Amino acid sequence: MSAAEPVTEALLRRMPLPRHEKGDDKNARGAVLVAGGCVEVPGAVLLAGLAALQAGAGRLQLAVCRSIAVPVGVAMPEARVIGLAETEQGHIAAAAAPVLAQRGARARAMVLGVGTMAGAESEALTAQLLEALEGPALVLDAGALAALRGCRPALRRHAGRAILTPHDGEMAELLEIPRTAVLADPLAAARRRPPASRPWSS
């Protein structure tokens, strides 16, 4: 496991945004698929999509609950919006996994879980995607993180291509330590191995 490195101004200067050469079109700059959100938190997907475009993505797809697909598309007309099967509570249903796996295989990067809540459907969706997905780099956030406890072999398939983005509370839960310990030394928490009781720890 490589050592964690703090995100500083110096680090960001060594990782500039992509330079677009004359004649490049959107296909040359790659595609990003952002899958997440729910009826109560649709804006998180929009923010993640905007960040992807600002970072240089040539094509953007947003995969959201079917009932909010049209307003999301109106809010971000430059994106292709995919309406997914949803639960009665307004969350993406696990049944959407095959569609996301197919779409994700054609993307250079996929963001999963942003704006979603932890729960059985979210965990099942993440687990199925980690098993089926081939190809893209992955960013796992919010509700997708809760599934990792039971997905050790599947997560290892994406070694070197997966980024986890827990906030301090989620990090504390993953490591089984107090939130105050994460806040006191975030870098040490990032370098810490999950406890052996976690099925996905290594």
Side-chain angles (χ1 to χ4, degrees):
M1 181 170 60
S2 58
E5 182 174 0
V7 178
T8 62
E9 288 186 19
L11 174 65
L12 293 176
R13 285 193 201 99
R14 299 197 309 267
M15 302 169 61
L17 293 176
R19 295 177 62 93
H20 302 316
E21 302 299 329
K22 185 176 180 179
D24 278 355
D25 66 7
K26 62 183 180 181
N27 294 310
R29 300 197 302 271
V32 174
L33 170 62
V34 180
C38 60
V39 170
E40 292 182 350
V41 192
V45 171
L46 294 173
L47 291 173
L50 179 60
L53 291 175
Q54 290 177 335
R59 291 181 292 125
L60 174 65
Q61 296 182 64
L62 305 178
V64 298
C65 294
R66 188 171 291 125
S67 64
I68 60 173
V70 171
V72 165
V74 171
M76 186 166 282
E78 57 269 66
R80 180 174 186 175
V81 180
I82 303 153
L84 300 173
E86 63 185 273
T87 67
E88 291 182 3
Q89 294 74 33
H91 302 283
I92 296 174
V99 173
L100 285 176
Q102 183 182 44
R103 297 277 185 176
R106 297 196 294 266
R108 185 171 296 178
M110 180 175 181
V111 180
L112 177 64
V114 60
T116 64
M117 311 297 178
E121 287 287 325
S122 182
E123 292 183 21
L125 175 70
T126 303
Q128 291 179 46
L129 275 175
L130 289 176
E131 288 285 353
L133 198 61
E134 298 288 349
L138 289 173
V139 178
L140 303 176
D141 186 51
L145 296 172
L148 302 185
R149 297 173 187 157
C151 296
R152 177 182 178 184
L155 186 60
R156 281 183 169 173
R157 291 180 59 247
H158 304 278
R161 294 183 291 116
I163 298 171
L164 312 185
T165 60
H167 58 58
D168 47 38
E170 291 164 339
M171 192 65 162
E173 184 177 347
L174 290 172
L175 296 175
E176 296 182 353
I177 61 176
R179 179 171 172 265
T180 52
V182 177
L183 292 171
D185 195 343
L187 184 57
R191 289 173 170 162
R192 184 169 178 164
R193 288 178 176 270
S197 61
R198 294 298 195 198
W200 58 276
S201 63
S202 58

